[in-house]
Amino acid sequence: MSLQPGHRRLATVAVTAVVFVALLFIGTSVQVPFVALGPGPTVNTLGELDDKPVVDITGVPTDPTTGNLNLTTVSVTDGMSLFQALGMWMSGTYSLEPRDRLFPPDQSPDEVREQNQQEMTGSEDSATAAALRYLDRPTKLVLTSVADGGPAAAELEVGDQVLAVDGQAVSTTAQIQEAVMSRAPGDSVPIAIDRGGQRQSVTVTLAARPDDPEVGYLGVTPEVVNADPALKISYNVGDIGGPSAGMMLTLAVIDRLSPGELTHGDFIAGTGTITEDGVVGPIGGITHKTRAARDAGASVFLVPERNCAEAVSDAPDGLTLVKVANLDGAVDALDAIGAGRSAPHC
């Protein structure tokens, strides 16, 4: 039996209404497996956050600073509905990424946050080490952990200062790694240390690295730390995680502990990881960070060399992108800009 035209119209309207309601429910209520990444807050490492210095240096004279050395961040929006995700993507300001890239299925959100905080703490430690080494201030290389049951467990202790490995003087983590990795598992390696003010030598038989059985393994975690008991450096970056603030924190310490101004009164922003040796590493979300910096008022952005191609692909108008490979290069570039000379551009 066929429906009359009026009945068919009512049926069509009813079906359309049901489909519309279903789509509306799905679009507003069902979370999508994506997160939205966008420009995040920027923080002036030469200024204050919540009435506390972002880089707090006490115990030694510091030099007055002006201008900005802003670290930059990426905002993450999670728990979005389909309509919210589409709206953020269509805005042109945000990008969508699969959620499990930032929140792996085998980790809880709290575990991810804890990992990000640990990375920030490590970044702060590296920033202190890199700045002090750049300024030729006293540092020492100490062991922060010794693996239980590892090859060095019977000979080395947490707190030992490492002076030399296999006859080679060492002052950074990389130098220890190079000395150990040049030897094979089973080799006996002499290590000179200072323990409680007493210099001594111990010998450790190397094991094989868990990820490479052909390479020697010592089983310790060394770290370059401040060796001036009067100097205290601490950081207050708020609820920011990850390692990408390292370079900007390092520059702030250098600016505060050396004469003159790295910024020359300008608004500088940037990003990049830092090692104890002053090597600047790449980060994620560079185009969101350059946009955040420009929106905050920056005129110059320090870009890790390996991020340059991506940064140039969507550079905001009025923002000069300066290429940086290491700490020496970053300081030289800022000096050049302040003197009106050209700096390496992306």
Side-chain angles (χ1 to χ4, degrees), residues 81-96:
S81 68
L82 175 61
F83 288 169
Q84 288 173 323
L86 288 174
M88 298 188 85
W89 177 72
M90 292 175 66
S91 72
T93 301
Y94 296 86
S95 61
L96 300 183

Side-chain angles (χ1 to χ4, degrees), residues 13-31:
V13 170
V15 171
T16 301
V18 170
V19 172
F20 175 77
V21 170
L23 288 176
L24 184 64
F25 174 78
I26 293 172
T28 58
S29 302
V30 178
Q31 291 186 5

Side-chain angles (χ1 to χ4, degrees), residues 3 11 54 62 67 71 82 120 134 145 170 189 217 226 232 234 237 259 298 306 346:
L3 295 174
V54 175
T62 56
L71 63 84
L82 175 61
M120 173 55 81
Y134 178 87
S145 72
V170 294
V189 176
Y217 171 67
N226 171 35
K232 307 296 181 185
S234 60
V237 297
R306 288 169 57 187
C346 286

Side-chain angles (χ1 to χ4, degrees), residues 155-173:
E155 302 295 341
L156 296 175
E157 299 177 0
V158 171
D160 285 346
Q161 178 183 355
V162 183
L163 305 173
V165 176
D166 201 18
Q168 303 175 45
V170 294
S171 58
T172 68
T173 297

Side-chain angles (χ1 to χ4, degrees), residues 195-218:
R195 180 179 294 166
Q198 298 296 317
R199 180 171 179 141
Q200 55 187 283
S201 181
V202 299
T203 300
V204 176
T205 301
L206 301 181
R209 281 182 62 89
D211 58 347
D212 189 343
E214 302 299 319
V215 176
Y217 171 67
L218 188 58

